[in-house]
Amino acid sequence: MNNVIVEIYTNLINSLPFEPLKVILGTLIPVLGIVTLPLLTTFLLIWWERRLIAFVQARLGPNRLGPGGLFQSFADALKVLLKEDIVSKDADKILFSLAPVLVFVPGILVYSLMPVGHQMVVTNVNVAIFLFLSVASLTTIGILMAGWSSNNKYSLMGGIRAVAQAISYEIPLLLSIVGVILLTGSLSIVDIVEKQDVWNIFKQPLAFFIFFTCALSEVNRIPFDLPEAESELVSGYNTEYSGFKFALFFLAEYVNTFTLGALCSLLFFGGWRFPFDYLLGDIGMQLSNQLGIIWFFIKTMFFFSVVVWIRGTLPRVRTDQLMSFAWKYLLPLSLFNIFITAIITGFLSGAFSR
Amino acid sequence: MSEVIREISPVRQYFKNLFDGVKAIYNGMRLTLKYMFLPKVTEVYPDVKRNLPQRFRGRFAFLYNKDDGKMLCIGCYACVKVCPPQTIVMETIKGEDKKIKTTRYEINIGECISCANCVEVCPVGALEMTHEYETATFNQMDLVYGMDKLAKYVEKPNMYMPPDGKAKK
Amino acid sequence: MTVEFKTEEMVINMGPHHPSTHGVLRLIVTLDGEIIKKVEPVIGYLHRSIERLAQDRNYFQYLPVVDRVDYISIIAAEWPLVLAVEKIGGIEVPERAEYIRVITAELTRIMSHLFYLGTFLLDLGATTVIMYALREREKIIDLMEELTGQRMMFNYFRYGGVNADVPEGWLSKVDEFCDYFVKMIDEYEILINKNPIFLSRVENIGIIPKEMIVEYGACGPIMRASGIKYDVRRDDPYSIYDRFDFDIPVGRKGDTLDRYLVRMQEMRESVKIIKQAVKQIPSGPCLKKKLAFSFKIPAGEAYCQVEAPRGNMGVYLISNGTNIPARVKYRTPSYANMQILPEVLKGTFLSDIMAIFGSFDVILPEVDR
């Protein structure tokens, strides 16, 4: 069953008069899509986070500009972009300017691997999840670069913390996904989603818990926001940044958080699929295939909201405790999870083959 | 204080820590979730202004009699003497009828700390703290209030009544 | 093969403008990685010469100035001065005024502790508690505004009583607030007390032994958290505190968690005192005799202290018989408490500065005066 939107789009491209135009437009439109959509979503996300954190804290949040304050983030963006772009005197100017780009680009790049609906994926790589995580982890280099080049002690400490944190948390993050991969037998995200007749959360609750914790740490959100811990390091690695460069860091943070939510929904909550669509038969399949992008967006926003909710509840952990939490709790638990999953899947597949 | 500290094996301690932690975080998250749906306490300030209590000390006012338009001030300088930031500027002359007349009464609202000491010591009740509090200006010199800007016409003087159980007028 | 890396200590100037130094404290921190080698606090950025101002102003004129000594717990700064003047001048205070003083002082103690609670957790990274704490603080501020006319700088105490009697229905409002507030403390405790992240940040961090407390003359909740059961309200009773029944919470280890727990318990005790005071308050005047604004007190000197939210707040007053004080010296608790800071911070992590310094509840205007 084909997705109607994808079908219309393919027909449109194919009906173009000559071949080069087809190739150019066929590449350009998805690229523009993956660049603009996350950015536009970010404006929504910033507003939603501020509103939600205010609700948690018994406040109202931004509510004056537009319906419910929706345009507040546009005003803020305008304000940030109009600010002077300051580069401090002793900063390493090349790295200083390169760092925000290096933080921002991987965040956007991973959207090319992300299926947002049935057949709605830019590149269906067969090692997508692997590529996804390796590209996403490039962000850390950008953060270290920003911390180093700023020539500011707070920034440097923020950068160092970011790297230490990323090294510790990448391991349980990857290991927690191994469980899902074992169940699916494929590294392709599309395959992972399509095999989730029953959502993976019911089969891999522990893996989800570990994955969510590690991903929180990867995107530097409270309680793991050590690289930019406000009360300790002023603003961490982006202390010296202003104007457009700061905006890039800010956007990257939200894009990454959205990616977190997207990965959660893709790997554990059936991605674009309607809940229990295989039980509803044909209607369920149609719901999943045609309106997939809506379910995907709702699920992702739910996880984003959970991240904000956690931010409203928990204090920040300390560097050494962060490490000990990763190595003492998350790593053993994820290994245990792989062990159990491997045994069960092996037993099941073995039983079926004989 | 006698306390029995039970020895727990490290393995049990490990899982107990994990369980307690998750439970405490769950309780906290439930509380914050509850507040997400409860009414908010924010006052939407410029749209909705709160009710000021009767004793509110806002901007300072210099009182005139409503009936004949005469100032209540008798020029005794008591308010000048008790002003902690020493911001009241006052000038008086002796008129032809041998009565002291205040010719200049200036106060810098930016310096005034709204302590109401002056209102308390005024023997004739010629001063008042109004309920006006939005006194911000673009120009610093606009904060200096002269007699014309401080003027307020009232029916009876604003006498301070000490809470000494007597003198209830 | 081992390779020796040449490492250098890093010196960070924390403050005067830093998000979590509560005003304008400057800490010169020497770091080895994230571990603190040395801390040197630099104070004086908020000096307003409160003590010198007294020598130009008569007693009545000086009263609003002392509100600024400690802007979080205003009554605690007004009270010792009023006590000292009353002691030298032999001014009597009516019964009702004493009760009102106790109620307002305890309300401001809760105000101060709430502010501590919020900022302490904000320093630890929890953003929500400060909003909840300020919500309750706002309720107290509204009550005080109704009583005194001002939200922060009350200027409410007078020599020989208080400025004005309580408005109608105010006492019952205070009583209602107390009932409401006890429930709210329970809520904070659900949110904070057992949270594993919070506990790991504060447990066994910044332990202050009893001896160090005595040596440095620290006071208030910090002292009590280290296990010294001393409270000016009980051991050197001023006003009418000997009539109330309340406990003095004491910590066991003297770590950051104990300091937090002691303050939470103190809020409950304050509620207890307020409830008793509201029940017992007699009717009558609130000011024995209205003094003229240029009143004089005989020559002499006096030291009076009260239990401020942060410890013993004392005033040493020398009068030379005129209407202007010859010398006023404020003994402020934060100043004494802050001297321990370099000792405690040695060997802890950078993140612990916030936890420990936050738990000291230092208010910078009070340090610099």
Side-chain angles (χ1 to χ4, degrees):
Chain A
M1 186 93 47
N2 284 331
N3 190 332
V4 177
I5 307 167
V6 177
E7 219 158 69
I8 293 169
Y9 167 75
T10 341
N11 289 341
L12 211 69
I13 293 286
N14 285 338
S15 66
L16 288 168
F18 53 102
E19 202 60 31
L21 201 65
K22 274 185 201 175
V23 176
I24 291 169
L25 276 186
T27 29
L28 213 60
I29 290 174
V31 167
L32 279 178
I34 61 166
V35 172
T36 49
L37 282 178
L39 288 185
L40 284 177
T41 327
T42 308
F43 284 108
L44 183 73
L45 292 180
I46 294 171
W47 168 77
W48 177 242
E49 159 148 32
R50 290 179 63 183
R51 244 351 224 183
L52 199 67
I53 194 85
F55 280 0
V56 167
Q57 296 171 348
R59 295 185 286 128
L60 282 176
N63 64 342
R64 300 201 62 86
L65 208 60
L70 189 56
F71 298 147
Q72 184 67 44
S73 30
F74 288 98
D76 288 344
L78 202 65
K79 176 209 152 213
V80 168
L81 296 186
L82 287 175
K83 283 206 164 190
E84 190 191 347
D85 188 13
I86 301 165
V87 181
S88 47
K89 195 177 142 223
D90 292 334
D92 188 334
K93 297 205 172 49
I94 299 166
L95 292 185
F96 190 79
S97 307
L98 200 61
V101 181
L102 211 64
V103 172
F104 183 66
V105 168
I108 295 287
L109 205 59
V110 291
Y111 278 82
S112 63
L113 300 165
M114 193 182 288
V116 292
H118 181 59
Q119 295 175 340
M120 291 173 86
V121 57
V122 178
T123 46
N124 186 6
V125 191
N126 59 359
V127 288
I129 187 71
F130 193 63
L131 189 60
F132 198 110
L133 292 168
S134 31
V135 171
S137 62
L138 278 178
T139 313
T140 315
I141 297 174
I143 291 177
L144 180 64
M145 208 185 255
W148 170 257
S149 63
S150 296
N151 192 30
N152 178 321
K153 284 165 185 167
Y154 292 121
S155 304
L156 181 61
M157 295 205 66
I160 292 169
R161 279 181 177 191
V163 173
Q165 191 177 333
I167 289 170
S168 311
Y169 276 78
E170 283 283 329
I171 298 163
L173 179 79
L174 289 167
L175 289 180
S176 67
I177 296 176
V178 170
V180 176
I181 295 168
L182 279 174
L183 281 180
T184 317
S186 166
L187 281 168
S188 158
I189 300 179
V190 177
D191 282 357
I192 290 174
V193 175
E194 273 172 357
K195 288 225 175 127
Q196 287 186 60
D197 282 342
V198 179
W199 288 358
N200 273 342
I201 176 73
F202 301 116
K203 298 174 188 163
Q204 295 274 320
L206 188 60
F208 172 70
F209 167 73
I210 297 162
F211 174 79
F212 193 74
T213 318
C214 295
L216 260 185
S217 167
E218 283 290 299
V219 298
N220 301 331
R221 302 291 298 211
I222 282 180
F224 305 111
D225 68 333
L226 292 160
E228 44 193 316
E230 202 211 339
S231 57
E232 293 153 31
L233 300 178
V234 187
S235 187
Y237 58 87
N238 58 28
T239 308
E240 292 285 340
Y241 282 87
S242 69
F244 200 90
K245 288 172 189 154
F246 175 74
L248 281 184
F249 276 118
F250 202 68
L251 285 176
E253 190 188 325
Y254 279 91
V255 170
N256 286 341
T257 316
F258 193 69
T259 315
L260 183 173
L263 264 189
C264 282
S265 68
L266 286 172
L267 295 179
F268 294 96
F269 285 83
W272 66 81
R273 295 182 69 164
F274 193 72
F276 301 104
D277 51 357
Y278 69 104
L279 293 177
L280 298 171
D282 201 34
I283 306 164
M285 281 300 147
Q286 286 291 355
L287 274 173
S288 292
N289 291 349
Q290 309 301 347
L291 301 173
I293 192 160
I294 295 172
W295 314 134
F296 174 77
F297 190 72
I298 289 173
K299 285 171 190 172
T300 309
M301 280 309 274
F302 172 75
F303 286 109
F304 183 79
S305 309
V306 171
V307 171
V308 176
W309 176 23
I310 287 175
R311 182 186 156 195
T313 313
L314 297 181
R316 184 182 302 122
V317 296
R318 215 173 61 196
T319 334
D320 57 323
Q321 288 155 359
L322 180 90
M323 299 300 162
S324 69
F325 182 61
W327 297 107
K328 268 164 73 179
Y329 289 92
L330 294 180
L331 190 65
L333 282 176
S334 56
L335 285 172
F336 174 72
N337 184 53
I338 292 175
F339 179 66
I340 295 290
T341 317
I343 285 177
I344 290 173
T345 42
F347 175 71
L348 284 180
S349 60
F352 285 136
S353 67
R354 265 167 221 158
Chain B
M1 209 186 292
S2 68
E3 251 185 81
V4 185
I5 299 166
R6 283 215 343 263
E7 287 279 324
I8 310 174
S9 71
V11 179
R12 272 188 66 191
Q13 186 66 44
Y14 177 90
F15 284 107
K16 196 170 167 292
N17 285 351
L18 203 65
F19 179 73
D20 284 355
V22 171
K23 194 180 152 203
I25 289 178
Y26 166 76
N27 282 337
M29 298 277 279
R30 217 179 50 182
L31 186 78
T32 44
L33 186 70
K34 189 185 93 187
Y35 272 107
M36 222 183 272
F37 301 105
L38 285 183
K40 311 291 174 259
V41 293
T42 314
E43 290 164 0
V44 194
Y45 159 61
D47 301 340
V48 183
K49 287 182 183 169
R50 60 199 195 89
N51 293 326
L52 297 174
Q54 208 256 317
R55 290 176 185 175
F56 184 81
R57 310 205 294 257
R59 180 179 68 80
F60 187 82
F62 189 68
L63 301 185
Y64 287 83
N65 195 322
K66 205 173 192 174
D67 300 330
D68 50 7
K70 275 184 187 163
M71 69 174 71
L72 300 175
C73 180
I74 53 167
C76 68
Y77 285 92
C79 49
V80 179
K81 282 174 196 159
V82 297
C83 183
Q86 301 172 337
T87 185
I88 302 175
V89 178
M90 189 172 174
E91 272 171 20
T92 50
I93 53 162
K94 213 170 209 181
E96 284 142 22
D97 51 350
K98 299 260 168 114
K99 267 190 178 173
I100 294 168
K101 197 172 179 305
T102 312
T103 53
R104 183 170 171 218
Y105 199 88
E106 259 178 35
I107 178 167
N108 187 337
I109 297 290
E111 281 178 15
C112 174
I113 59 171
S114 296
C115 63
N117 266 3
C118 45
V119 178
E120 197 175 318
V121 297
C122 188
V124 289
L127 303 170
E128 193 189 279
M129 305 304 278
T130 60
H131 282 195
E132 195 183 306
Y133 54 90
E134 289 157 323
T135 51
T137 58
F138 282 103
N139 189 346
Q140 206 176 12
M141 287 317 291
D142 294 348
L143 288 172
V144 180
Y145 277 42
M147 279 167 99
D148 48 338
K149 270 165 106 180
L150 288 174
K152 187 180 174 188
Y153 292 87
V154 290
E155 275 164 5
K156 60 178 182 189
N158 173 39
M159 290 297 290
Y160 167 74
M161 277 178 284
D164 51 5
K166 305 170 222 159
K168 285 272 156 69
K169 280 180 195 171
Chain C
M1 196 181 90
T2 53
V3 183
E4 288 275 325
F5 286 108
K6 187 174 168 287
T7 54
E8 264 176 45
E9 284 171 345
M10 181 158 76
V11 180
I12 284 190
N13 255 309
M14 227 171 208
H17 301 293
H18 187 276
S20 64
T21 47
H22 299 254
V24 283
L25 172 72
R26 178 170 158 218
L27 295 171
I28 303 174
V29 186
T30 313
L31 286 173
D32 177 14
E34 292 239 356
I35 296 167
I36 295 159
K37 289 276 168 214
K38 205 179 101 190
V39 175
E40 198 184 321
V42 181
I43 57 167
Y45 289 95
L46 210 59
H47 183 62
R48 291 147 303 155
S49 65
I50 296 255
E51 286 165 5
R52 175 65 182 80
L53 284 176
Q55 296 166 25
D56 293 344
R57 282 159 174 74
N58 57 41
Y59 290 107
F60 190 71
Q61 203 176 359
Y62 185 53
L63 253 182
V65 177
V66 300
D67 288 345
R68 273 85 182 159
V69 169
D70 177 358
Y71 54 57
I72 306 291
S73 54
I74 300 97
I75 297 292
E78 278 181 22
W79 207 347
L81 178 74
V82 173
L83 275 179
V85 172
E86 279 161 4
K87 197 171 170 189
I88 298 177
I91 304 164
E92 269 180 62
V93 184
E95 193 89 322
R96 189 176 171 83
E98 294 277 28
Y99 274 94
I100 295 174
R101 281 181 178 188
V102 167
I103 293 171
T104 51
E106 293 305 321
L107 280 176
T108 40
R109 187 187 311 281
I110 294 174
M111 251 166 85
S112 172
H113 282 349
L114 280 176
F115 204 77
Y116 151 79
L117 177 68
T119 49
F120 175 50
L121 274 127
L122 192 66
D123 287 348
L124 293 180
T127 46
T128 301
V129 183
I130 186 164
M131 294 297 166
Y132 294 170
L134 290 185
R135 178 187 59 196
E136 268 71 74
R137 186 170 179 266
E138 194 71 8
K139 287 203 159 60
I140 304 178
I141 290 181
D142 282 346
L143 282 173
M144 293 304 282
E145 188 186 21
E146 206 183 324
L147 178 68
T148 67
Q150 196 75 290
R151 293 174 71 78
M152 272 179 86
M153 305 304 169
F154 305 137
N155 185 21
Y156 183 60
F157 282 20
R158 290 291 177 275
Y159 306 108
V162 291
N163 181 16
D165 202 349
V166 294
E168 225 168 281
W170 190 79
L171 288 172
S172 61
K173 273 186 201 167
V174 171
D175 207 44
E176 265 170 42
F177 170 79
C178 288
D179 293 337
Y180 161 82
F181 183 62
V182 172
K183 279 181 223 150
M184 287 298 133
I185 299 178
D186 292 341
E187 255 184 22
Y188 303 146
E189 292 191 335
I190 291 174
L191 196 56
I192 306 163
N193 268 20
K194 280 188 181 158
N195 191 315
I197 299 176
F198 172 76
L199 285 179
S200 64
R201 283 300 296 276
V202 295
E203 237 177 355
N204 296 324
I205 305 267
I207 297 177
I208 310 176
K210 264 186 198 178
E211 300 76 47
M212 203 195 281
I213 294 277
V214 176
E215 277 166 19
Y216 280 88
C219 47
I222 298 178
M223 173 179 68
R224 288 192 282 277
S226 291
I228 301 173
K229 200 165 185 172
Y230 175 85
D231 189 314
V232 184
R233 289 177 292 177
R234 190 200 60 175
D235 297 311
D236 181 13
Y238 52 97
S239 186
I240 46 162
Y241 270 111
D242 44 2
R243 296 183 201 175
F244 299 116
D245 167 40
F246 62 98
D247 295 329
I248 300 164
V250 178
R252 259 189 250 159
K253 280 185 283 190
D255 59 354
T256 308
L257 178 64
D258 274 348
R259 290 194 275 279
Y260 158 79
L261 289 173
V262 162
R263 285 205 176 84
M264 291 303 267
Q265 199 54 39
E266 261 179 35
M267 286 204 275
R268 292 182 192 274
E269 299 302 327
S270 286
V271 168
K272 237 165 135 186
I273 295 174
I274 295 171
K275 291 209 97 169
Q276 291 172 39
V278 168
K279 209 171 273 171
Q280 295 172 11
I281 190 166
S283 59
C286 296
L287 194 63
K288 203 91 187 177
K289 182 173 154 280
K290 173 74 186 149
L291 295 162
F293 66 83
S294 59
F295 72 96
K296 290 172 186 170
I297 56 170
E301 43 191 79
Y303 177 75
C304 288
Q305 62 175 1
V306 300
E307 180 69 31
R310 275 168 278 281
N312 316 8
M313 173 88 93
V315 163
Y316 184 59
L317 177 74
I318 304 178
S319 158
N320 54 7
T322 61
N323 63 350
I324 292 171
R327 176 83 170 93
V328 172
K329 161 85 180 118
Y330 261 91
R331 190 267 183 213
T332 51
S334 292
Y335 185 67
N337 294 346
M338 241 200 38
Q339 295 173 18
I340 308 185
L341 195 65
E343 291 258 346
V344 179
L345 284 180
K346 227 175 266 174
T348 55
F349 282 89
L350 180 66
S351 313
D352 290 337
I353 294 186
M354 278 74 232
I356 295 168
F357 183 59
S359 75
F360 273 37
D361 193 17
V362 169
I363 296 291
L364 263 298
E366 203 187 327
V367 176
D368 295 340
R369 301 196 285 286

